[in-house]
Amino acid sequence: MDSREHETAQAVVSALKELGCSVLVSTLTVGDYVVSSEVAVERKRTMDLINSIIDGRLFQQASNLIESYQEPYIIIEGDLWSTVSMRGISRGALIGALVKVSRSGLRILWARDERDTAQVLYSLALASPGLIKISNRRKSESTSYMQVSLLSSLPGIGVKRAVKLLKIYGTPLNALNNYRQWPIKLSGLSSSSMLMIRRILESKFNGED
């Protein structure tokens, strides 16, 4: 779970733990929840969903999820149609936005409340072939997990591409040393992401940015 999501989703956390899940809080570059190496989820309560359509955030978040994960989902939590009447957006515009993100590849799921959201996440995890399993060591202490976290924190990489880079290069150090080859090895990696990666890796630290 993303650390920013954790601050507003204590009921989801409690319900997940009741279902027997372990919840690791971390800073995610994409999505609110990562339930496997292939599956990530953005959770939107109805008012946040509508606000994100109005200001355009939803479409960028959808694009980031689709680019980074093989199975990207959005969970819409709450009574959407009641919320529409409280916000200045037409039902047609709302439906059009949902159709747009759905056709782009984002899968839409629905939840009545936080407990339903937890059940959806639990069901997604059980059905995921790339389920992230935790041994008696905490996941945060796993070398493999930290290697993926290191590379996935770079712009445009995400978990799916980080795993692919590690399979190609073997170690994070080899991957970083050969980062100029990434556009060839990773389909869909944008030039803007590569420019930002180059800036991060090659700029001298000045302690001010």
Side-chain angles (χ1 to χ4, degrees), residues 29 67-68 151-158 161 182 189-190 192-198 200:
T29 55
E67 185 178 83
S68 301
L151 294 179
S152 66
S153 67
L154 292 169
I157 299 303
R161 286 177 171 157
W182 290 2
L189 184 61
S190 67
S192 60
S193 292
M194 278 304 301
L195 286 172
M196 185 61 71
I197 290 170
R198 179 176 179 179
I200 291 169

Side-chain angles (χ1 to χ4, degrees), residues 2 28 38 42 50 60 81 87 96 110 117 133 135 141 153 159 175 180 186 198 205:
D2 184 61
L28 303 179
E38 298 178 350
E42 182 78 22
I50 293 171
Q60 184 59 55
W81 308 115
R87 194 68 172 87
W110 302 85
T117 293
K133 296 181 179 179
S135 64
E141 296 171 349
S153 67
V159 173
R180 292 180 181 84
L186 302 175
R198 179 176 179 179
F205 178 71

Side-chain angles (χ1 to χ4, degrees), residues 2 21 25 42-43 72 88 97 108 124 152 162 173 175 179-181 190:
D2 184 61
C21 297
V25 180
E42 182 78 22
R43 169 183 172 239
I108 300 175
L124 282 173
S152 66
L173 181 59
Y179 83 91
R180 292 180 181 84
Q181 298 177 7
S190 67

Side-chain angles (χ1 to χ4, degrees), residues 67 151 156-157 160-170 174-190 194 197:
E67 185 178 83
L151 294 179
I157 299 303
K160 182 180 176 182
R161 286 177 171 157
V163 170
K164 184 173 183 179
L165 288 171
L166 288 167
K167 288 180 177 178
I168 293 171
Y169 295 107
N174 285 341
L176 292 170
N177 284 338
N178 292 280
Y179 83 91
R180 292 180 181 84
Q181 298 177 7
W182 290 2
I184 300 172
K185 304 292 184 179
L186 302 175
S187 61
L189 184 61
S190 67
M194 278 304 301
I197 290 170

Side-chain angles (χ1 to χ4, degrees), residues 39-149:
V39 179
V41 178
E42 182 78 22
R43 169 183 172 239
K44 289 288 187 189
R45 286 171 290 185
T46 53
M47 186 60 77
D48 183 33
L49 174 73
I50 293 171
N51 289 337
S52 69
I53 291 172
I54 292 172
D55 63 24
R57 282 183 294 117
L58 177 65
F59 307 107
Q60 184 59 55
Q61 290 170 331
S63 176
N64 292 341
L65 279 167
I66 293 162
E67 185 178 83
S68 301
Y69 289 91
Q70 186 171 326
E71 293 188 32
Y73 292 88
I74 180 172
I75 297 175
I76 300 174
E77 183 184 293
D79 187 343
L80 182 59
W81 308 115
S82 294
T83 308
V84 169
S85 62
M86 301 165 55
R87 194 68 172 87
I89 184 174
S90 69
R91 292 170 67 94
L94 173 60
I95 292 170
L98 294 178
V99 169
K100 180 178 179 179
V101 295
S102 178
R103 293 194 67 186
S104 69
L106 186 64
R107 306 176 187 192
I108 300 175
L109 295 169
W110 302 85
R112 178 182 55 184
D113 53 25
E114 290 91 340
R115 295 189 70 85
D116 279 357
T117 293
Q119 186 66 57
V120 170
L121 292 168
Y122 178 67
S123 298
L124 282 173
L126 288 181
S128 299
L131 178 64
I132 300 172
K133 296 181 179 179
I134 303 175
S135 64
N136 18 356
R137 288 192 305 167
R138 286 181 57 85
K139 189 168 76 170
S140 59
E141 296 171 349
S142 160
T143 299
S144 296
Y145 176 77
M146 289 189 289
Q147 289 173 326
V148 171
S149 295

